[in-house]
Amino acid sequence: MPRKSFCLISFKFKPTKAKIYKSLLKCVLDQSVTHILHVELIGQSFVPKLAFDQKKLFFKPTHIGSITKRNLTLFNTSRIETMFEWDIQFKDQHHNNLLSIDPPAGMLRGNEKIKLKCTFAPRSAKKYNLRLPCKIKSIGDNSKVFGKNVLMF
């Protein structure tokens, strides 16, 4: 590098775990061991994590053909933006439109919460006990794989 010039150096931080990383970088200037610059590099990483205000979503007994609505709060307990998407799919076609959650997908900033509207519309008289997966993923994550939180219903 020519004299009296400068060079920008960039570092890519790609953590494998959610934790604080610290490392000491030794930079030798002018190819001389007497001109060593020590730079401490610090990075912190987080994983997306959502929580519900209830462990189970309970709907009071509802007449067939009518609907019951409940509110549920979804809270982003992490410090990073997190996308969520409800994965409500039933093997039995008879259960389609049994339950809906609005909004069905979205994004929450760190420590942000959102109220969800859950609508239950039974078509037959029976006791329902279901697991509702909520897929989650961080905004900067380019993978197509979502983590999952599960709400019991």
Side-chain angles (χ1 to χ4, degrees):
M1 187 163 65
R3 297 185 88 161
K4 298 191 179 197
S5 62
F6 66 92
C7 177
L8 292 177
I9 300 172
S10 66
F11 298 94
K12 183 175 183 177
F13 178 61
K14 194 169 182 182
T16 56
K17 294 180 184 174
K19 67 177 193 173
I20 296 175
Y21 292 84
K22 290 184 179 182
S23 184
L24 193 61
L25 174 69
K26 185 167 108 175
C27 185
V28 179
L29 304 172
D30 297 330
Q31 300 176 354
S32 170
V33 290
T34 58
H35 295 96
I36 295 178
L37 179 65
H38 293 278
V39 179
E40 184 177 21
L41 303 175
I42 301 172
Q44 189 170 4
S45 62
F46 300 92
V47 293
K49 188 173 182 182
L50 298 179
F52 307 105
D53 63 344
Q54 316 169 45
K55 297 252 186 233
K56 285 190 175 189
L57 188 59
F58 177 76
F59 290 95
K60 64 184 180 183
T62 306
H63 293 283
I64 297 170
S66 63
I67 62 171
T68 299
K69 293 186 178 192
R70 290 286 312 251
N71 287 329
L72 175 70
T73 302
L74 184 60
F75 182 65
N76 183 356
T77 58
S78 67
R79 293 176 62 183
I80 57 175
E81 293 180 334
T82 301
M83 296 185 304
F84 69 91
E85 180 182 340
W86 288 96
D87 188 18
I88 303 174
Q89 298 176 9
F90 300 106
K91 293 176 187 171
D92 184 356
Q93 293 297 322
H94 183 70
H95 287 95
N96 282 351
N97 301 322
L98 171 71
L99 182 78
S100 65
I101 299 178
D102 187 46
M107 187 273 299
L108 290 172
R109 292 184 184 90
N111 296 314
E112 186 178 25
K113 58 183 157 184
I114 186 172
K115 291 265 187 206
L116 304 171
K117 276 195 175 130
C118 307
T119 305
F120 174 59
R123 292 184 180 175
S124 61
K126 69 181 251 183
K127 183 178 180 179
Y128 294 93
N129 191 6
L130 305 167
R131 295 170 57 91
L132 304 172
C134 180
K135 301 188 292 186
I136 61 173
K137 177 175 156 175
S138 64
I139 295 290
D141 187 358
N142 293 327
S143 71
K144 293 180 182 174
V145 177
F146 279 81
K148 282 192 180 180
N149 278 21
V150 176
L151 176 67
M152 299 300 290
F153 155 68

